[in-house]
Amino acid sequence: MQRLPKLTTLPRPLLLAGRLLLAVLVAPLAYAVEPPPSTLSQLALGVAGGDELRRFEFADALLAVLQETYAEELAASSREKASSEARRTKLRRWRAATQTMLQRFDDARLALGEGAEAVIIVDAQRQILLFIGEQSIAFSAPRPGEERRLEQEAVARFCAFNDCSDVQQPPSDAETDAGASGTWTLRSGQPPAYDIGTTLRCVFRDLSVRADKQQACEEAAQDTAVLIDALRHISADGQAIDWQRLAAQRSASGPDLSLYPLAYGGALRLTLPRLARLNDDAWRGFIRQLADHLRDGRGPVQIEQGERLLKR
């Protein structure tokens, strides 16, 4: 049994926003052209900055569609006849990972029903990310080519009970800014901070280039969710995280980080564009807080030198 993180066997949504990559297997992604906004992503941008009930209903609609779709995929896979032992092994792993995803959707919907806040983020690639309590879920189809169908189902489900007349036109700049996923905290005698739910807090020296700082922190929150998912996957496999080694050893190649979360073993390679910009001191502080967050539920994780996220 392989003891290193079994990241290559997970279905697509577990690779949050498609950004959890094994660098030795997958070439770096190129974002030369920003995709046009879909109706669902336009809707998400408007809902993200809205009232709590509307965010709840939107997140629940997306989770319901994901539940139904992945349950159908799991049922269909049970009828598939594998032609070789290698194929049967791969199919078993896929089924187990898909079942794990279904449990995550169930847990997220349960958390919503118990009052957890729904934080909605639309990233630069129009990927919709849901942060619900401790859960981070990307709205993504189980198979390539099915994204449009899933989006249409999600829009139909949400708009059946909500007014969606304002999503036919692309959002204006003002609407996009209003749909920012976080909130600024301003206290007398303290520097401003941007909070992404209970996930991340980015502390800045001032409010200059505010939009850039918001975007940097939101993308760093996505990176943080990717890293948390990877570390939890390792822990679920019965392996202890070596936080000291994780904080002390890393190497960066552009947006890709090679990390060493185990006392012994090879590198965990993740694509974390914003976190890769932190210097050694900021990275060590980030990992210390991340360890507390995962061990004791403390949060959010705080990045003290938020401007580091802007540096290239």
Side-chain angles (χ1 to χ4, degrees):
M1 180 177 179
Q2 187 179 1
R3 302 307 298 172
L4 288 178
K6 300 178 288 186
L7 301 177
T8 56
T9 64
L10 302 178
R12 289 177 66 245
L14 273 181
L15 312 187
L16 183 61
R19 299 170 59 237
L20 183 65
L21 306 177
L22 284 176
V24 294
L25 297 178
V26 183
L29 295 175
Y31 298 137
V33 179
E34 182 175 311
S38 66
T39 299
L40 186 62
S41 65
Q42 293 177 36
L43 187 58
L45 284 169
V47 170
D51 63 65
E52 185 175 355
L53 178 59
R54 192 168 169 85
R55 282 185 280 118
F56 166 87
E57 292 177 344
F58 183 79
D60 192 64
L62 267 60
L63 288 169
V65 169
L66 288 173
Q67 278 181 316
E68 293 171 4
T69 301
Y70 278 79
E72 291 170 1
E73 286 288 326
L74 193 61
S77 73
S78 67
R79 299 187 293 269
E80 185 174 340
K81 303 298 182 182
S83 57
S84 66
E85 182 58 33
R87 175 60 185 166
R88 283 191 289 274
T89 299
K90 183 177 181 180
L91 190 57
R92 282 194 298 269
R93 290 175 176 171
W94 186 90
R95 286 171 180 163
T98 303
Q99 187 62 57
T100 298
M101 285 301 302
L102 281 169
Q103 186 60 55
R104 291 183 68 203
F105 301 151
D106 289 343
D107 292 344
R109 290 193 80 184
L110 179 62
L112 271 178
E114 293 177 343
E117 180 185 7
V119 177
I120 300 164
I121 292 177
V122 181
D123 70 11
Q125 303 310 306
R126 306 296 180 181
Q127 174 77 53
I128 298 172
L129 309 173
L130 305 176
F131 293 83
I132 301 166
E134 293 297 316
Q135 296 286 341
S136 54
I137 294 171
F139 186 78
S140 184
R143 296 180 185 273
E146 294 189 350
E147 300 285 351
R148 183 172 179 80
R149 179 180 66 82
L150 249 67
E151 290 186 354
Q152 290 172 339
E153 290 180 8
V155 169
R157 184 179 293 265
F158 178 74
C159 294
F161 302 99
N162 292 271
D163 180 14
C164 298
S165 59
D166 58 342
V167 301
Q168 299 304 315
Q169 298 297 325
S172 66
D173 291 343
E175 291 169 336
T176 300
D177 183 67
S181 62
T183 56
W184 284 98
T185 299
L186 305 175
R187 294 193 177 99
S188 178
Q190 297 183 19
Y194 191 65
D195 294 311
I196 308 291
T198 59
T199 304
L200 187 71
R201 164 173 286 193
C202 304
V203 180
F204 297 97
R205 288 191 297 268
D206 54 45
L207 288 174
S208 62
V209 293
R210 181 172 59 89
D212 291 342
K213 290 175 178 177
Q214 286 183 191
Q215 180 180 352
C217 192
E218 288 163 6
E219 292 176 3
Q222 296 166 28
D223 288 358
T224 301
V226 170
L227 179 56
I228 287 174
D229 268 356
L231 295 176
R232 283 183 173 154
H233 187 68
I234 294 171
S235 296
D237 197 35
Q239 303 178 80
I241 303 297
D242 187 336
W243 293 103
Q244 185 172 356
R245 189 181 186 208
L246 183 61
Q249 290 184 250
R250 65 167 183 154
S251 59
S253 177
D256 300 324
L257 281 177
S258 294
L259 306 174
Y260 300 87
L262 303 176
Y264 302 98
L268 173 66
R269 296 183 177 89
L270 303 178
T271 299
L272 306 172
R274 289 293 180 177
L275 294 183
R277 302 180 187 189
L278 297 177
N279 64 10
D280 289 344
D281 286 342
W283 173 258
R284 284 191 291 268
F286 171 79
I287 293 299
R288 283 195 299 271
Q289 296 218 19
L290 185 63
D292 291 339
H293 180 78
L294 292 181
R295 279 195 299 252
D296 308 321
R298 300 180 195 172
V301 181
Q302 187 160 292
I303 295 178
E304 297 287 351
Q305 305 174 43
E307 279 77 12
R308 293 286 180 182
L309 298 172
L310 301 173
K311 297 182 181 297
R312 299 229 174 236

